[in-house]
Amino acid sequence: MDILVVSPEAGNWEAPSPLVTAINRMTDAFGRSGTNVLTCSPFYKSHLMFIENYDCVFQGTERLQGKHFEVWRSKSDPLHTYIYNEDYFGRPYVYGPPHSLPYGDNHLRFAFLASAALTYAIETKIKFNAILGHEWGGALAGALTHTVYNKEFGNVPFFFTVHNITYDFHVSTSEIEAIGLPPEDNNMDGYEFWGKVSLLKAGICYAHKVLFPSPGYRDAMLNTNLPGGLSGFLNHNASKLIGIQFGVSYQVWDFNAQDRRPIKEAKRKAKEILAKNLGSNFGNKLVLYVHLDEEAGNTSETLATVLSDITKLDVFIIVGLTPEHPEWNYFNDVSKQYPDTMQVLQLDPNFESISKLRGALAGADVLFAANLREPSSSIILKALACGTLPLTGYNVGVASSLDDYAPETAGNANAFLVEDANAPHLMLRRLKDALHVYQTEVADWDKAVVNAYSGFHYEWDRTITKYLLILGELGL
């Protein structure tokens, strides 16, 4: 099977974004499956590592805007192909300066990306079985197969992955022709959004199937009153919306992969290392890890509400966050008040933080994850890969695939779930339940840890297998 992938971000970035990481892992998994994948993304010289290792392998002119483009590749990474145009992708930022307005011509930049990728796909002489677009930056590939590239790709199905529905780009309807959209679909059932054009809606409109990064996220999108009336549009297209759980790389997050100790022994050793690194003494306390990043949603507020109550329990709290986090000073101050029950783990946006986070998850017993914003809830998968039980809500991403603990389900349980993870009193009550099991139902606890670590294994290969099954259902 041959698949063309169009993404606004991908490849060997010096500081990979969550989207870059996801696309890279998916591309690798496609390759391992035997799929011939051509992943096209912009050639961002300011973001990619080892620029000197890349060569220009093709030059051409795309059809939509009639602009010149170059195709760059690295000999060490044949799965990734990069599109370059100095005016569009020679800028220091991907979408615009941080904490500022996005570039006003982003619609033209990423329409150009899709057009150049399709032009290059024609030049490769490969008959692609499917086209896969990612996020609003890859959305216009589907529309162009209905217009400018209809002759070559009119019968090729387009699949669109929405990684996070909160990200979109809106432009004036006067730009419809410039970005290759069929004008007849400028309506509420098409790509029109409050008198403008929504690139996200355009991607959904022309997709054969729309893929979300977890079943729970897909269900939440259909049952949440999203701003602007997008809920109605999604429900109108519900038959083609599919939730496929994104995976994690176990070669990165399986803390016990090298030593292969029995999981109970491995967790005990990891807890000793974590306590030593923090200069703390956990004693026999349940270790609770709380990860606060931009995808943590309301976890910080929920924790703050019940923090004083938790400090009265036989629990040791570890809060992982960067100094730039708005709650950095607050949690540091609290940790100084309760040095025997709380520590702050400083994280930084680099590889060292991966090691720190893995160590914290491995040494912890429970992950406190309230109303996460991250659609795939990868922090929960990372916790499971470390044998750590998530405390979260039924409506949070991957949670629909987890098994909640109850005495009668102890043999299968791998999590502690609540109806509303945004409700502090429910999270506190369930934490007390977890503490009770940890202290008094040791056999049940040990079994749950085994279930989390060994029983729930969700690699990226599993994600891509489901992608390919969907393609197969269409006879591709």
Side-chain angles (χ1 to χ4, degrees), residues 312-323:
K312 299 171 186 174
L313 303 176
D314 207 13
V315 172
F316 194 98
I317 310 158
I318 301 171
V319 181
L321 71 171
T322 67

Side-chain angles (χ1 to χ4, degrees), residues 262 331 346 434:
F331 285 111
Q346 179 176 330

Side-chain angles (χ1 to χ4, degrees), residues 448-462:
V449 171
V450 171
N451 292 340
Y453 178 70
S454 303
F456 194 95
H457 199 85
Y458 217 107
E459 272 275 11
W460 280 104
D461 288 0
R462 190 171 170 184

Side-chain angles (χ1 to χ4, degrees), residues 110-125:
F110 294 107
F112 165 83
L113 169 68
S115 181
L118 291 169
T119 295
Y120 182 61
I122 293 169
E123 294 297 328
T124 65
K125 309 297 183 184

Side-chain angles (χ1 to χ4, degrees), residues 131-433:
I131 300 169
L132 175 60
H134 289 281
E135 291 288 66
W136 65 263
L140 292 173
L144 291 177
T145 64
H146 290 263
T147 55
V148 180
Y149 294 90
N150 181 261
K151 178 181 178 181
E152 293 87 355
F153 296 103
N155 294 320
V156 178
F158 174 66
F159 294 82
F160 184 51
T161 299
V162 178
H163 293 250
N164 193 322
I165 207 161
T166 61
Y167 298 130
D168 196 359
F169 193 79
H170 302 145
V171 296
S172 168
T173 55
S174 63
E175 300 292 293
I176 288 174
E177 183 178 350
I179 56 179
L181 290 172
E184 62 269 19
D185 294 323
N186 180 28
N187 53 63
M188 63 182 297
D189 291 328
Y191 50 74
E192 184 268 338
F193 187 80
W194 289 85
K196 290 191 174 184
V197 171
S198 162
L199 297 195
L200 183 72
K201 285 188 70 178
I204 296 172
C205 180
Y206 299 110
H208 286 71
K209 296 293 181 182
V210 180
L211 311 173
F212 287 89
S214 71
Y217 190 64
R218 182 261 185 195
D219 293 344
M221 292 304 96
L222 291 175
N223 297 298
T224 302
N225 188 20
L226 298 171
L230 196 57
S231 297
F233 175 74
L234 292 177
N235 278 278
H236 179 72
N237 289 278
S239 61
K240 63 180 180 181
L241 308 186
I242 302 174
I244 298 180
Q245 181 61 51
F246 278 11
V248 294
S249 179
Y250 278 76
Q251 64 186 17
V252 174
W253 296 104
D254 184 351
F255 79 109
N256 193 33
Q258 188 171 7
D259 296 332
R260 306 312 304 172
R261 292 187 175 100
I263 186 60
K264 188 172 182 178
E265 178 187 340
K267 291 289 289 182
R268 178 186 57 78
K269 183 67 175 178
K271 186 176 288 190
E272 290 175 357
I273 294 172
L274 178 59
K276 181 179 179 181
N277 290 341
L278 291 173
S280 301
N281 181 8
F282 299 153
N284 294 319
K285 294 180 178 180
L286 180 146
V287 178
L288 180 74
Y289 179 69
V290 188
H291 188 66
L292 301 181
D293 61 7
E294 61 182 13
E295 301 292 352
N298 293 331
T299 297
S300 176
E301 293 86 345
T302 303
L303 175 64
T305 303
V306 296
L307 191 53
S308 63
D309 295 295
I310 297 176
T311 59
K312 299 171 186 174
L313 303 176
D314 207 13
V315 172
F316 194 98
I317 310 158
I318 301 171
V319 181
L321 71 171
T322 67
E324 292 75 29
H325 194 281
E327 302 298 329
W328 169 262
N329 290 333
Y330 167 74
F331 285 111
N332 268 280
D333 290 342
V334 175
S335 68
K336 292 174 183 176
Q337 296 177 41
Y338 303 96
D340 295 330
T341 57
M342 181 175 172
Q343 281 276 12
V344 168
L345 178 68
Q346 179 176 330
L347 300 177
D348 301 294
N350 53 33
F351 182 78
E352 182 185 1
S353 274
I354 293 179
S355 178
K356 279 187 177 181
L357 176 55
R358 183 176 56 234
L361 290 171
D365 300 300
V366 171
L367 170 72
F368 186 96
N371 199 15
L372 302 178
R373 290 194 313 171
E374 184 187 12
S376 69
S377 303
S378 70
I379 187 64
I380 292 177
L381 294 181
K382 293 165 186 174
L384 293 167
C386 290
T388 300
L389 307 184
L391 167 58
T392 190
Y394 282 105
N395 60 343
V396 173
V398 69
S400 61
S401 301
L402 301 180
D403 291 303
D404 184 32
Y405 176 85
E408 61 273 17
T409 63
N412 299 317
N414 56 16
F416 289 86
L417 304 178
V418 300
E419 290 293 338
D420 182 6
N422 209 22
H425 70 286
L426 294 181
M427 292 291 284
L428 178 61
R429 185 185 305 163
R430 202 66 176 124
L431 176 58
K432 291 179 180 179
D433 293 341

